[in-house]
Amino acid sequence: MATTATFNTQRVGALPVIAEFCERLQLRKIVNDTVPWQGDVPLGDLVEILVANRLLEPKPLYKLGSWASKATLAQFYNLTEEMLHDDRIGRALERVAAHGDHVQAALVLHAIGEFDLDVRQVHYDLSTVELYGAYADYEEGPLPAGTPRPAYGHTKSGRKDLKQIQFGINVLKDGAVPISHQAFDGNAAESPTHLDNLKRLAQLLPKGELLYLADSKLDAKENLLAVVARKGKFLGGGAFTVDVQNLFRTVKDRLHPLDYSPKSQADLPAEQRDQYRGVEVRQEIRGLVEGTPICCKYRLLLLWSEAKARQEAATRQRHLDKIRAEFGHIEKNLNRYRLKTLSDVQRRLEAAKRRYAEGKMFRYEVGQNRDGSLTLSWHIDSKDLAHQEELDGVFVLKTNLSKATHSTSDVLRTHKEQIQVERRIGNLKGPLAVAPMYLKNPQRMAGLLFILMWALMILALMERQVRRRLAGKPMYGLYPERRPSKAPTGVRLIEAFEYLCIILVEEGTQTTRYLGDLDDTQRQILRLLDMHAGPMKTFKHRCGT
């Protein structure tokens, strides 16, 4: 009697591509070899499932087993939905948090060899993850090493009613590939994190000269000396203090045009591009690092940006107009409503000044007539205003890069590459959905940050390889109407496989999987990634026979 075959389809999306890069990165093997774990499901399998979840459908970690079953991951691991219950996932995150640094070190070492990564330039930045809930149980007492303590702090969104944790991330210039991160308490100061980060980088990366880039929080004597003590180079924003402002006023006549323009304006005629000017001053810092005296001569770059000047002038004018309008409203309603006493009027005026920093320019005098009615006169201090206008568009960089190898324009151009780490933080907060985080246990939060880091590594490595193979040529098919993409992102590459399916042919007790037809864009991506449709895998099982 002939056996009747039945056909079904299941959407796998970019799962085969993610599986290939998990294999190239040796993620499952490194996790299993590095982290002690006892259980029916290998920890490496759980980690790959979590990484795939972040890349394919990042949602709160709830009923992950149900998602894995629908996404075909469960059956590819010979698992059932019940085996991926929330308690097991939670315990896996705790174990990852405890041993994640060792896994990360092994992954980076393997990635350097497998993908020939250039690790000579590293970008560092700090960001936050907002939380929902009180987290009162973790306000005091010790926490495991590397576990962040939820706390109120300066949130990026400006919300003051949410607790947060923070994380610092290191990203290579080469492909913006993330290589490490560290979790911090929600109220931790950023500047001190650099010292520990530099020690961790020294342990993580092969020996050699390192260029370390960061924002203005790097501008602390102990941070800069720590870089120099490790034979490294630093480049970061400088604090625009009152002393530096006064220094700028003495040298502003020496500003000279720089051979730099934003990449976004590369296609514009030279006369339409925003201009940059700069001047350098040599300075020196001295101090002790672990008992060793260190002296460093560095370059203080005072730079002016036409675009920044235009933006700051517009912002200041907008703030001045709002404060001016409030002062005018108070003046119009003087001696009426709740503006009948001296204290009430002064309180309203001070409140208006505190709305923006520009409020410091406003001068006022509240008087009183013989009949007891109040009078108000006010103006904007022209000297203060002129002083602020004089500083429009100015910013500071500090570096010990040699002028023989890096001109002022080169230093500025290199500093602008800090956008690499900002892009990856954007990936974490956007496509990978790091926030808001709904986990209740801070140790599990730390574990999830490792999962997110490894998902981000895969995303970045895919993007890097495609861009290198394109060698500046545009790619078509990622955007509607076949608009060209000069720099395809990892997010777009994954989205290109969104509707990829496998066909399940069931004959009796035997099931055979076949990969669905690929479109031209998908085939091109696979070629660029050195992959072939025939042997593509969705984790453990081949799609074909």
Side-chain angles (χ1 to χ4, degrees):
M1 182 177 178
T3 303
T4 303
T6 60
F7 299 85
N8 290 297
T9 59
Q10 288 182 327
R11 197 168 76 179
V12 294
L15 182 56
V17 183
I18 295 169
E20 172 69 17
F21 273 79
C22 282
E23 186 70 24
R24 292 183 188 179
L25 202 55
Q26 293 287 288
L27 178 58
R28 179 177 183 273
K29 182 180 185 302
I30 289 174
V31 169
N32 288 336
D33 291 347
T34 306
V35 184
W37 173 261
Q38 293 179 344
D40 298 335
V41 182
L43 184 60
D45 291 0
L46 295 175
V47 166
E48 286 193 340
I49 289 172
L50 284 165
V51 166
N53 172 260
R54 292 293 93 188
L55 289 169
L56 293 174
E57 193 171 353
K59 291 183 178 180
L61 295 182
Y62 174 66
K63 293 186 177 180
L64 186 70
S66 175
W67 172 83
S69 179
K70 293 177 181 177
T72 75
L73 270 77
Q75 61 178 300
F76 290 135
Y77 279 105
N78 297 323
L79 302 175
T80 63
E81 179 178 328
E82 292 72 23
M83 295 173 74
L84 297 173
H85 52 79
D86 292 346
D87 181 60
R88 174 169 279 148
I89 297 299
R91 287 187 287 110
L93 290 175
E94 291 173 4
R95 189 59 58 89
V96 166
H99 299 272
D101 284 335
H102 300 296
V103 174
Q104 184 67 33
L107 285 174
V108 170
L109 185 62
H110 179 78
I112 290 173
E114 177 70 20
F115 297 93
D116 192 25
L117 295 177
D118 184 346
V119 297
R120 292 175 295 178
Q121 182 171 319
V122 173
H123 299 258
Y124 175 80
D125 200 4
L126 197 74
S127 193
T128 61
V129 180
E130 294 179 350
L131 309 172
Y132 290 91
Y135 295 94
D137 294 341
Y138 305 100
E139 291 180 354
E140 297 180 356
L143 289 176
T147 301
R149 190 185 302 276
Y152 293 109
H154 180 70
T155 62
K156 301 296 183 182
S157 67
R159 293 190 61 171
K160 298 180 180 180
D161 59 325
L162 298 179
K163 288 187 177 181
Q164 65 179 17
I165 61 173
Q166 300 183 87
F167 65 93
I169 180 174
N170 292 298
V171 166
L172 298 177
K173 173 190 176 183
D174 185 5
V177 177
I179 55 171
S180 70
H181 80 286
Q182 190 172 3
F184 300 103
D185 295 348
N187 57 1
E190 181 175 350
S191 182
T193 68
H194 287 283
L195 294 177
D196 189 47
N197 188 52
L198 288 165
K199 292 178 182 177
R200 293 162 69 92
L201 285 174
Q203 297 168 354
L204 181 69
L205 299 177
K207 290 185 178 181
E209 189 171 283
L210 173 69
L211 173 56
Y212 184 74
L213 292 94
D215 60 17
S216 59
K217 297 300 188 297
L218 176 64
D219 186 14
K221 178 180 175 180
E222 57 272 18
N223 292 336
L224 303 182
L225 290 176
V227 177
V228 177
R230 291 171 173 79
K231 311 299 182 185
K233 302 292 185 181
F234 61 79
L235 171 54
F240 200 29
T241 62
V242 173
D243 288 342
V244 177
Q245 293 174 18
N246 292 334
L247 173 63
F248 171 74
R249 292 187 175 99
T250 65
V251 300
K252 65 178 183 178
D253 293 338
R254 292 162 45 194
L255 286 170
H256 60 274
L258 300 180
D259 181 21
Y260 173 83
S261 62
K263 289 184 178 179
S264 60
Q265 299 180 359
D267 296 333
L268 295 178
E271 63 274 11
Q272 295 182 21
R273 299 173 189 170
D274 288 323
Q275 302 299 306
Y276 285 77
R277 300 191 185 102
V279 60
E280 290 192 22
V281 178
R282 301 289 294 185
Q283 295 197 334
E284 181 181 288
I285 50 174
R286 294 175 179 268
L288 295 176
V289 178
E290 298 177 354
T292 303
I294 301 292
C295 174
C296 173
K297 295 182 179 180
Y298 67 90
R299 301 155 66 187
L300 176 69
L301 281 66
L302 298 164
L303 306 172
W304 177 84
S305 160
E306 183 180 4
K308 190 172 187 291
R310 185 170 58 245
Q311 181 184 36
E312 290 177 349
T315 299
R316 182 178 55 252
Q317 188 61 50
R318 185 171 65 252
H319 292 173
L320 288 174
D321 288 345
K322 289 184 178 181
I323 300 173
R324 188 184 289 113
E326 181 65 13
F327 267 56
H329 179 77
I330 295 170
E331 185 177 27
K332 179 180 178 181
N333 291 285
L334 203 63
N335 299 303
R336 303 166 60 193
Y337 310 116
R338 296 184 180 180
L339 297 172
K340 297 180 180 180
T341 67
L342 179 64
S343 60
D344 287 340
V345 173
Q346 288 179 332
R347 185 169 57 252
R348 284 283 298 275
L349 291 169
E350 290 299 322
K353 290 180 62 175
R354 288 194 299 270
R355 287 185 65 183
Y356 303 104
E358 288 80 1
K360 296 177 181 178
M361 302 180 196
F362 282 74
R363 306 286 184 268
Y364 68 85
E365 183 177 349
V366 181
Q368 197 168 21
N369 294 320
R370 291 182 179 180
D371 61 1
S373 61
L374 299 175
T375 62
L376 171 64
S377 61
W378 59 273
H379 68 279
I380 297 174
D381 191 301
S382 58
K383 286 187 177 181
D384 279 2
L385 180 58
H387 268 249
Q388 291 301 313
E389 291 175 340
E390 193 177 27
L391 301 176
D392 282 351
V394 182
F395 61 103
V396 182
L397 297 180
K398 289 185 177 182
T399 185
N400 62 340
L401 286 167
S402 169
K403 196 165 186 176
T405 59
H406 289 76
S407 66
T408 305
S409 300
D410 292 332
V411 172
L412 174 59
R413 195 171 290 109
T414 302
H415 174 70
K416 290 295 184 178
E417 293 169 358
Q418 185 69 2
I419 194 173
Q420 301 280 34
V421 67
E422 295 168 3
R423 280 204 307 127
R424 293 308 177 211
I425 289 176
N427 289 148
L428 285 172
K429 295 199 167 188
L432 301 186
V434 67
M437 192 178 283
Y438 295 92
L439 297 172
K440 296 181 179 180
N441 182 334
Q443 199 170 1
R444 295 182 180 183
M445 296 176 194
L448 180 57
L449 284 174
F450 277 107
I451 297 296
L452 287 158
M453 177 61 58
W454 301 333
L456 189 61
M457 282 184 73
I458 290 172
L459 188 80
L461 289 169
M462 290 172 54
E463 177 186 293
R464 171 182 178 269
Q465 181 165 334
V466 167
R467 290 186 178 189
R468 285 165 67 96
R469 293 296 171 85
L470 286 172
K473 298 178 181 178
M475 183 175 179
Y476 298 87
L478 293 178
Y479 293 96
E481 302 171 353
R482 291 187 60 80
R483 296 198 303 272
S485 173
K486 295 182 179 179
T489 65
V491 174
R492 284 289 183 178
L493 297 174
I494 287 178
E495 288 177 349
F497 291 91
E498 183 178 3
Y499 296 105
L500 182 63
C501 294
I502 58 172
I503 299 138
L504 305 177
V505 182
E506 299 179 1
E507 295 180 280
T509 59
Q510 182 178 359
T511 301
T512 307
R513 297 171 175 82
Y514 297 94
L515 190 66
D517 289 338
L518 299 167
D519 61 31
D520 292 340
T521 302
Q522 292 167 344
R523 292 183 184 279
Q524 183 184 8
I525 293 173
L526 292 182
R527 285 194 299 270
L528 294 169
L529 293 176
D530 291 332
M531 294 178 62
H532 304 283
M536 279 175 64
K537 298 179 181 179
T538 44
F539 290 95
K540 284 195 170 183
H541 297 280
R542 291 181 182 276
C543 288
T545 53

